[in-house]
Amino acid sequence: MTKDKLKLTSSEIGSLWGEYINGTMSDVIIRYMVSIIEDDSIKAIFEDALKTFGKQKKQIVHFIEEAGFPVPIGFSESDLNKGTPRLFTDVFCLNYLYIMTLHGLIGHTTSLGISVREDLRHFYDSCQNDGKNMYHQTVQLLLEKGEFQRDPYLYPKESPEFITTKDFTDGFFGKGRHLAATEIISISLSIKKSIMAKTLCIAFSQVAQSKEVRKFFSYSVDIANGHIKGFSKILQTDNLPSPGSWESEVTTSTESPFSDKLMMYHIGFLSQVAQAYYGTGLASAMRTDLVATYETTILRNLKVTKKWFNIMVQNKWLEQPPLAPNRKEIAKEK
């Protein structure tokens, strides 16, 4: 048996299933943004993103069908309301693509790491290359337009230093110490991602059809505010700047470009991905107050995810991924 004929493992089919669902969701959002973006240089990147996913989608469908699994429903043109007024500015659209590209790069790396079959590994290699190209394009254009929010600067010491006191971990009592560069990585990224999630929730709360869904988005805005304030306070205590907000990049339109199902799924996706980032930040935190902030943030985020799950299931909006066989039920049916 050749390597290309190996059956897909549960992890491999799971990664393909997730790539399809998340990819079709982003595809609908990007299609809408292409229709409203006025800046030609920004629009060109979005058009490139559409072509890239179109190519990837065909390959994902091929892998899933070849393995005998049904292709997920995901999201499609039916989740897009064409001709609706502008909901976001061009600047927000570009920042959105930048953040979602970061998610894609990490997702493709994870998928590559659990893939064994050679053709699947090559596929995720190509996805990584596409993602890196998109990352360079979005960052470069944000820099050119003066819209990229850079992380705080630090000043170098003359030589390397060693930790010499237990106060290094103390963020509540004693002398304490300033943030380490390794801690600022996760703090800054967490703020930026929370700002984007908050901005989307503000926009979605204006246009969602369901009262329950609008209420959920408003609740999510409050939770995101708590995340942003908690992390920003830690930066400000050390006299470090925090990333700016994007609320002003949302128009006052109340006509929805998207289905409630798509908007709900999008915020759930961001909340679930955020948990992984918060976990990474928690693992790298060496100051007690920072550890406490991450723990509080994770618990708040779990509450959002629980509310989200209940609404999604109640409306039958959440597709079920492939499950392991229920051996007991199979035995009963014999």
Side-chain angles (χ1 to χ4, degrees), residues 19 56 103-113 123-124 127-128 131:
E19 290 275 356
Q56 294 173 355
H103 287 313
L105 280 171
I106 294 170
H108 294 324
T109 299
T110 302
S111 295
L112 176 61
F123 169 66
Y124 285 124
C127 288
Q128 276 285 69

Side-chain angles (χ1 to χ4, degrees), residues 58-308:
K58 289 179 182 178
Q59 189 61 63
I60 293 170
V61 169
H62 170 73
F63 283 129
I64 293 174
E65 289 181 336
E66 184 185 49
F69 287 86
V71 176
I73 296 170
F75 299 92
S76 64
E77 293 284 334
S78 64
D79 295 292
L80 177 62
N81 301 319
K82 296 181 179 178
T84 53
R86 166 185 285 265
L87 186 57
F88 306 107
T89 66
D90 287 5
V91 169
F92 176 79
C93 291
L94 185 55
N95 274 292
Y96 171 87
L97 187 58
Y98 160 67
I99 294 292
M100 292 302 289
T101 298
L102 287 178
H103 287 313
L105 280 171
I106 294 170
H108 294 324
T109 299
T110 302
S111 295
L112 176 61
I114 55 88
S115 297
V116 175
R117 221 170 77 173
E118 186 175 14
D119 56 349
L120 199 53
R121 284 186 280 117
H122 287 318
F123 169 66
Y124 285 124
D125 266 341
S126 69
C127 288
Q128 276 285 69
N129 290 333
D130 290 335
K132 285 186 283 187
N133 181 53
M134 185 60 60
Y135 173 78
H136 289 305
Q137 288 187 70
T138 53
V139 170
Q140 187 60 39
L141 193 53
L142 282 166
L143 287 170
E144 289 174 6
K145 294 183 175 296
E147 296 291 347
F148 193 90
Q149 298 192 38
R150 305 204 60 183
D151 295 336
Y153 293 99
L154 299 182
Y155 295 92
K157 293 292 183 71
E158 293 182 1
S159 59
E161 296 179 333
F162 288 90
I163 298 171
T164 59
T165 173
K166 292 180 181 179
D167 281 344
F168 191 83
T169 63
D170 192 359
F172 289 117
F173 309 105
K175 296 179 181 179
R177 50 88 183 168
H178 290 281
L179 288 169
T182 49
E183 294 168 329
I184 295 174
I185 297 171
S186 293
I187 294 173
S188 182
L189 198 54
S190 293
I191 295 174
K192 290 176 182 177
K193 289 177 180 296
S194 293
I195 287 172
M196 190 187 83
K198 175 187 173 181
T199 306
L200 284 174
C201 284
I202 289 173
F204 292 168
S205 69
Q206 294 178 187
V207 301
Q209 299 296 312
S210 164
K211 182 178 180 181
E212 182 182 33
V213 170
R214 291 197 300 273
K215 185 177 178 181
F216 169 79
F217 289 141
S218 295
Y219 170 76
S220 298
V221 169
D222 293 338
I223 296 297
N225 269 330
H227 296 344
I228 295 166
K229 288 178 182 176
F231 288 119
S232 296
K233 182 180 178 181
I234 290 174
L235 288 176
Q236 290 162 5
T237 299
D238 280 2
N239 296 310
L240 296 173
S242 299
S245 66
W246 296 337
E247 291 98 323
S248 60
E249 307 302 329
V250 178
T251 72
T252 56
S253 173
T254 57
E255 293 185 44
S256 181
F258 315 112
S259 67
D260 282 7
K261 170 189 170 183
L262 183 142
M263 293 187 290
M264 280 294 298
Y265 182 85
H266 200 340
I267 298 307
F269 164 78
L270 292 176
S271 294
Q272 292 169 28
V273 171
Q275 292 293 63
Y277 285 101
Y278 297 146
T280 301
L282 178 60
S284 64
M286 294 180 286
R287 225 172 68 176
T288 49
D289 60 331
L290 190 51
V291 169
T293 299
Y294 277 116
E295 289 175 341
T296 301
T297 302
I298 289 170
L299 289 174
R300 282 203 207 105
N301 217 47
L302 285 172
K303 291 180 180 179
V304 173
T305 303
K306 184 178 179 181
K307 286 180 179 289
W308 170 83

Side-chain angles (χ1 to χ4, degrees), residues 23-84:
T24 53
M25 174 201 71
S26 297
D27 187 62
V28 172
I29 300 283
I30 290 172
R31 285 182 186 280
Y32 167 70
M33 289 182 171
V34 163
S35 73
I36 63 167
I37 291 172
E38 298 173 347
D39 186 292
D40 289 338
S41 58
I42 297 177
K43 179 172 284 195
I45 296 180
F46 275 75
E47 289 173 341
D48 186 36
L50 287 177
K51 292 177 185 176
T52 297
F53 178 68
K55 174 187 66 176
Q56 294 173 355
K57 181 181 176 182
K58 289 179 182 178
Q59 189 61 63
I60 293 170
V61 169
H62 170 73
F63 283 129
I64 293 174
E65 289 181 336
E66 184 185 49
F69 287 86
V71 176
I73 296 170
F75 299 92
S76 64
E77 293 284 334
S78 64
D79 295 292
L80 177 62
N81 301 319
K82 296 181 179 178
T84 53

